[in-house]
């Protein structure tokens, strides 16, 4: 299988992502990067990758239309403030909006280096989502929810009998197939902790590995956002979440982690199992 990372210039974010993914997955995945207006690999990208023991000397900037679409299983777009290049075809898609660390304005080297390190670490925090995403059907797209997605998310949650309490302050990711919103998962943020909640998939799509991909996306987002640990409450899926790396904990510990969560006070959750997973340093 092949993964391609896209941004505009293919000089910083997508080059960093390509190098990190090559180091992470080795021969298990073919990894490329490209852009809509490619430039040369930024020297600071090379420098911050050397800090983590990765050499990008062999990488070159490429136009997206030079990438052979055959065999591409997953496209990851990284643009935050620009329009990312389009990649046609029924591929899986992830969107990790990452601010461009490069600039055309004069910037002191320590400031520029800090920007590139932040981009590197943000991308590294989300690499765990790649393999779960590759198990989903071709054409699946997962991205952070937009305000217009709220009605469809609410309909999914109501249809699954999941509580809506506190969902307005939850950061959701959504999964789409053929343009239709078919799944969602959310994270509440409480200091250095996160609470995973509202993991829901349309009944017709529940054996398509969408839940795993959504959970992986939210864990990566939480780590990127500064969370050290993500916990959850479940009434019927403890064994499922154990397979995803969560361990059971005492509810009293969870109450200390996320004291402001409405989930702790919902009667239906009074007998739920509390679970947690490290996502920060040392995870």
């Amino acid at each position: 299988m092949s993964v391609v990372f896209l941004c505009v210039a293919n000089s910083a974010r997508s080059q960093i992502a390509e190098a990190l993914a090559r180091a992470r997955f080795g021969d298990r995945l073919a990894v490329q990067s490209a852009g809509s207006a490619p430039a040369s690999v930024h020297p600071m990208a090379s420098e911050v990758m050397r800090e983590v023991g990765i050499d990008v000397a062999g990488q070159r900037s490429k136009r997206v239309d030079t990438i052979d679409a055959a065999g591409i299983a997953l496209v990851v777009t990284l643009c935050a403030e620009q329009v990312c290049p389009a990649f046609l075809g029924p591929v899986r898609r992830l969107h990790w909006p990452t601010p461009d660390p490069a600039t055309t304005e004069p910037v002191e080297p320590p400031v520029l280096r800090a920007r590139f390190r932040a981009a590197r670490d943000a991308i590294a925090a989300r690499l765990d989502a790649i393999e779960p995403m590759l198990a989903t059907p071709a054409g699946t797209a997962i991205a952070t929810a937009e305000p217009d997605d709220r009605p469809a998310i609410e309909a999914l949650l109501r249809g699954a009998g999941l509580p809506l309490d506190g969902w307005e302050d939850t950061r959701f990711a959504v999964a789409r197939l053929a343009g239709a919103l078919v799944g969602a998962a959310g994270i509440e943020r409480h200091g250095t902790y996160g609470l995973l909640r509202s993991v829901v998939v349309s009944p017709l799509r529940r054996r398509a590995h969408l839940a795993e991909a959504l959970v992986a996306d939210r864990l990566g987002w939480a780590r990127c956002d500064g969370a050290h640990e993500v916990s959850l409450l479940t009434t019927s899926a403890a064994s499922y979440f154990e397979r995803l790396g969560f361990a059971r904990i005492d509810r009293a510990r969870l109450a200390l982690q996320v004291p402001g969560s409405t989930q702790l006070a919902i009667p239906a959750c009074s007998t739920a199992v509390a679970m947690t997973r490290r996502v920060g340093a040392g995870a």
Side-chain angles (χ1 to χ4, degrees):
M1 285 189 173
S2 182
V3 176
V4 60
F5 294 94
L6 300 181
C7 66
V8 174
N10 190 214
S11 65
R13 292 164 293 185
S14 54
Q15 293 287 347
I16 289 170
E18 178 183 350
L20 288 168
R22 286 183 188 276
R24 169 69 179 273
F25 299 109
D27 295 336
R28 286 181 290 156
L29 287 176
V31 181
Q32 304 177 73
S33 67
S36 53
S40 58
V41 179
H42 199 290
M44 192 61 76
S46 301
E47 180 176 325
V48 299
M49 293 309 296
R50 283 196 297 270
E51 292 177 350
V52 294
I54 299 174
D55 185 3
V56 301
Q59 294 181 197
R60 298 289 182 269
S61 297
K62 302 173 291 296
R63 286 188 60 87
V64 65
D65 55 13
T66 67
I67 296 291
D68 183 3
I72 299 295
L74 172 63
V75 170
V76 183
T77 49
L78 298 159
C79 304
E81 63 290 320
Q82 310 131 315
V83 177
C84 264
F87 193 95
L88 303 179
V91 296
R92 300 160 187 85
R93 301 174 189 273
L94 285 169
H95 183 51
W96 300 343
T98 306
D100 189 354
T103 176
T104 58
E105 300 175 359
V107 176
E108 291 296 318
V111 175
L112 188 63
R113 187 175 297 108
R115 290 180 182 177
F116 272 79
R117 285 172 176 163
R120 177 198 65 197
D121 295 346
I123 294 165
R126 306 193 74 161
L127 289 180
D128 282 349
I130 286 180
E131 288 183 298
M133 189 65 179
L134 289 171
T136 65
T140 300
I142 290 181
T144 301
E146 300 292 340
D148 290 348
D149 294 326
R150 288 279 170 166
I153 296 172
E154 181 178 356
L156 279 177
L157 295 176
R158 290 188 184 278
L162 293 176
L164 295 174
D165 307 66
W167 81 301
E168 299 88 351
D169 299 321
T170 301
R171 294 295 303 273
F172 279 94
V174 293
R176 288 184 169 82
L177 265 172
L181 196 153
V182 295
I187 290 272
E188 293 181 9
R189 289 287 281 113
H190 300 268
T192 59
Y193 295 98
L195 184 73
L196 178 68
R197 55 164 295 177
S198 306
V199 181
V200 62
V201 174
S202 172
L204 296 177
R205 299 294 184 178
R206 285 182 183 165
R207 295 187 181 276
H209 302 284
L210 296 173
E212 295 99 310
L214 283 162
V215 169
D217 178 272
R218 289 298 81 190
L219 293 179
W221 174 83
R223 182 180 179 187
C224 183
D225 197 48
H228 295 165
E229 198 166 330
V230 171
S231 302
L232 59 86
L233 286 165
T234 179
T235 57
S236 60
S239 60
Y240 173 80
F241 284 108
E242 283 176 334
R243 294 197 299 273
L244 300 185
F246 287 83
R248 301 178 189 229
I249 58 170
D250 190 274
R251 281 180 66 103
R253 177 180 164 191
L254 179 62
L256 291 174
Q257 293 176 353
V258 293
S261 177
T262 59
Q263 302 297 288
L264 294 169
I266 296 173
C269 293
S270 60
T271 59
V273 175
M275 307 185 76
T276 196
R277 173 178 163 171
R278 289 281 299 175
V279 296

